[in-house]
Amino acid sequence: MSQSVHGTWANRWLFILAATGSAVGLGNIWKFPYITGENGGGAFVLMYLLCIALVGIPVMIAEVMLGRMGRQSPINTMVGLVKRFHAPVFWAGIGWMGALAGFLILSFYSVIAGWALAYIPKLAMGDFQQATGEYAAATFGNLLASPQTLTLWHSLFMLATIFVVARGVNRGLEAAIKWLMPLLFVLLFVLLAYAVQTDSFSAGVDFLFSFDFSKLSRESLVIALGHSFFTLSLGLGAIMAYGAYMPQSASISKTIVVVAVLDTLVALASGMVIFPIVFSNGLEPGAGPGLLFQTLPIAFGNMAAGSFFGVLFFVLVVFAALTSSISLAEPIVAWLVESKGWSRLRAGACVGLSAWLLGLGTVLSFNHWADYTLFGKTFFDCLDFLTTNIMLPLGGLLIAVFVAWVLSKQTVADELRMGPPALYNAWRFILMFISPLAVLAVLLNGLPFLSTLIGQIKSLL
Ligand code: PFF
């Protein structure tokens, strides 16, 4: 099959924009700065860059290639490839597990993106003018404490996601991405130009790029590797689904390198915007997940034209999250259209509504259900842990092994047409040995939690 029933990106650049749209999201703007802050800065950034280069990019090439070979939703792509290459049927599980992981992530991603939406009117109305740390913390706390408000913003964000997904590859995804991605780059550039003028720009840059290896632990290495999966949208079929709409003539490897570089640049640029503001206001880089929502508004509230820059920044976060959330929904929506014959509107609405319902669990886990924990983790923590630390790495591991060990060397070479054989061999070697071992390390790190879980279940029986 040379084309997907869902359509094809009009050209290679639209695939690049779409894949970059999926990759760039809350992971870059919210998560990357705060985990960098928590893990001591430069040395962590270096590890993260190594993980992107040595594991992220090779696995991403493999995942997109599978999508383009199958030209269907990830579930049907994997079923088709398993039949075509007479592989054991359990490999088709890559598609099913991915669609499930995408659905689970969508449910909480929408709630967090809703926080960013909620901050836009707050900043626009000058809520944070001359704000103190206590005021910003209280504002964030009040937002989390109100299930109604969280649900309102979560609902709006989910509706926007369904709207774009329902319109399909060309009229929905492509049209949205064509506008949102360039706008996002422009907004980031404006903010960066602002950050360069602050007196703490060099302190921020120093924090990001001076390598203090004494601050690096085994744990931070594992976090860096796990985050490289999350940030590149790997392991759950999102990028595989987008690969299915990629023109046959485009070079996968060159294209993916562009996407990974753009994703990394956005993460680094976000860091270069956030840390100078943090330092010039004497704030704490290791503030944790609250960094974006509690710390930055203080800075915006105390700088000239802060409302303007604040609104701009949170608009950017919402755009980035929207182009990621549509890719989280795409694998399962595409499957419903293909296999059940549903319209995209029906499939999008059904997936969106179910994810919205599940998202209410995340909403409640910040207030009424905050004390209902399973082994110390709230409902939201459990979902986040299960997907980011177990399902994505497992999906990535299986994709690497399937492409490197199950498909024949020639089949893969024909599909990729990478150019110099040495380059292809190096990529294949990494995929055969380095990526699976590195991912196993991440999975094993999740094992203490799993063994506690199993132990607790046993003691209950
Ligand atoms: N890459 C997105 C981010 O950095 O926010 C999150 C994400 C999107 C993860 C799509 C996985 C995915 F399939």
Side-chain angles (χ1 to χ4, degrees), residues 7 69 122 124 134 229 264 277 312 349:
M69 282 173 85
K122 281 191 203 305
E134 290 92 70
F229 270 83
T264 309
I277 297 176
L312 212 59

Side-chain angles (χ1 to χ4, degrees), residues 22-28 105 109 230-234 236 238 324 327-328 392:
S22 168
V24 173
L26 295 172
N28 305 60
I105 296 180
Y109 205 82
F230 188 82
T231 193
L232 291 178
S233 304
L234 296 181
L236 64 72
S324 298
S327 76
L328 285 162
L392 295 195

Side-chain angles (χ1 to χ4, degrees), residues 96-151:
W96 286 104
M97 189 179 68
L100 178 65
F103 174 77
L104 297 178
I105 296 180
L106 178 62
S107 78
F108 67 78
Y109 205 82
S110 164
V111 176
I112 297 182
W115 299 353
L117 262 181
Y119 268 62
I120 295 174
K122 281 191 203 305
L123 279 149
M125 291 182 309
D127 260 19
F128 289 98
Q129 254 157 38
Q130 262 92 53
T132 57
E134 290 92 70
Y135 179 81
T139 307
F140 186 60
N142 286 342
L143 174 68
L144 293 195
S146 164
Q148 290 85 353
T149 316
L150 290 182
T151 304

Side-chain angles (χ1 to χ4, degrees), residues 14 54 56 74 91 107 132 146 151 162 175 207 209 214 224 243 313 322 325 333 375 390 405 421-423 443 446 450:
L14 272 168
L54 283 178
W91 287 107
S107 78
T132 57
S146 164
T151 304
I162 295 174
F207 180 75
F209 298 111
S214 65
F313 189 82
L322 187 62
S325 68
V333 167
F375 314 113
I390 299 179
W405 294 91
L423 192 66
L443 282 178
L450 280 185

Side-chain angles (χ1 to χ4, degrees), residues 56-368:
I57 293 177
V59 172
M60 200 172 189
I61 292 175
E63 186 169 336
V64 171
M65 188 201 76
L66 289 179
R68 197 171 71 175
M69 282 173 85
R71 290 271 185 226
Q72 284 175 295
S73 66
I75 295 175
N76 287 334
T77 282
M78 287 314 299
V79 170
L81 291 175
V82 158
K83 281 200 197 121
R84 194 159 122 203
F85 294 99
H86 308 291
V89 71
F90 74 84
W91 287 107
I94 294 178
W96 286 104
M97 189 179 68
L100 178 65
F103 174 77
L104 297 178
I105 296 180
L106 178 62
S107 78
F108 67 78
Y109 205 82
S110 164
V111 176
I112 297 182
W115 299 353
L117 262 181
Y119 268 62
I120 295 174
K122 281 191 203 305
L123 279 149
M125 291 182 309
D127 260 19
F128 289 98
Q129 254 157 38
Q130 262 92 53
T132 57
E134 290 92 70
Y135 179 81
T139 307
F140 186 60
N142 286 342
L143 174 68
L144 293 195
S146 164
Q148 290 85 353
T149 316
L150 290 182
T151 304
L152 171 77
W153 296 112
H154 164 48
S155 312
L156 275 181
F157 185 82
M158 194 61 92
L159 271 176
T161 304
I162 295 174
F163 178 77
V164 179
V165 170
R167 288 174 65 89
V169 170
N170 296 95
R171 284 190 319 137
L173 302 190
E174 220 173 75
I177 287 157
K178 235 196 288 197
W179 291 103
L180 295 186
M181 291 313 294
L183 193 56
L184 190 147
F185 285 110
V186 172
L187 288 182
L188 201 55
F189 193 76
V190 170
L191 287 172
L192 199 57
Y194 173 83
V196 170
Q197 292 166 10
T198 62
D199 17 317
S200 299
F201 185 69
S202 58
V205 170
D206 257 15
F207 180 75
L208 275 172
F209 298 111
S210 60
F211 311 130
D212 178 357
F213 283 96
S214 65
K215 289 191 181 144
L216 202 66
S217 63
R218 193 183 67 96
E219 172 86 5
S220 13
L221 186 60
V222 169
I223 294 176
L225 186 65
H227 187 62
S228 69
F229 270 83
F230 188 82
T231 193
L232 291 178
S233 304
L234 296 181
L236 64 72
I239 222 72
M240 194 189 294
Y242 279 15
Y245 316 143
M246 192 175 177
Q248 194 65 34
S249 55
S251 153
I252 293 182
S253 44
K254 277 191 207 138
T255 307
I256 290 309
V257 170
V258 175
V259 174
V261 167
L262 286 176
D263 182 75
T264 309
L265 286 180
V266 173
L268 294 178
S270 303
M272 289 201 290
V273 168
I274 288 177
F275 287 113
I277 297 176
V278 166
F279 289 122
S280 67
N281 289 276
L283 305 169
E284 182 46 57
L291 189 68
L292 186 65
F293 295 99
Q294 293 186 64
T295 325
L296 275 192
I298 310 173
F300 287 129
N302 289 288
M303 67 168 71
S307 296
F308 174 74
F309 284 111
V311 169
L312 212 59
F313 189 82
F314 282 97
V315 166
L316 181 146
V317 175
V318 171
F319 280 171
L322 187 62
T323 52
S324 298
S325 68
I326 54 185
S327 76
L328 285 162
E330 186 59 21
I332 189 153
V333 167
W335 177 74
L336 286 169
V337 171
E338 270 165 19
S339 295
K340 303 281 168 208
W342 290 11
S343 66
R344 279 193 75 96
L345 177 63
R346 185 173 170 198
C350 181
V351 170
L353 191 68
S354 325
W356 176 84
L357 265 179
L358 186 65
L360 295 182
T362 292
V363 164
L364 291 172
S365 70
F366 293 106
N367 35 70
H368 296 319

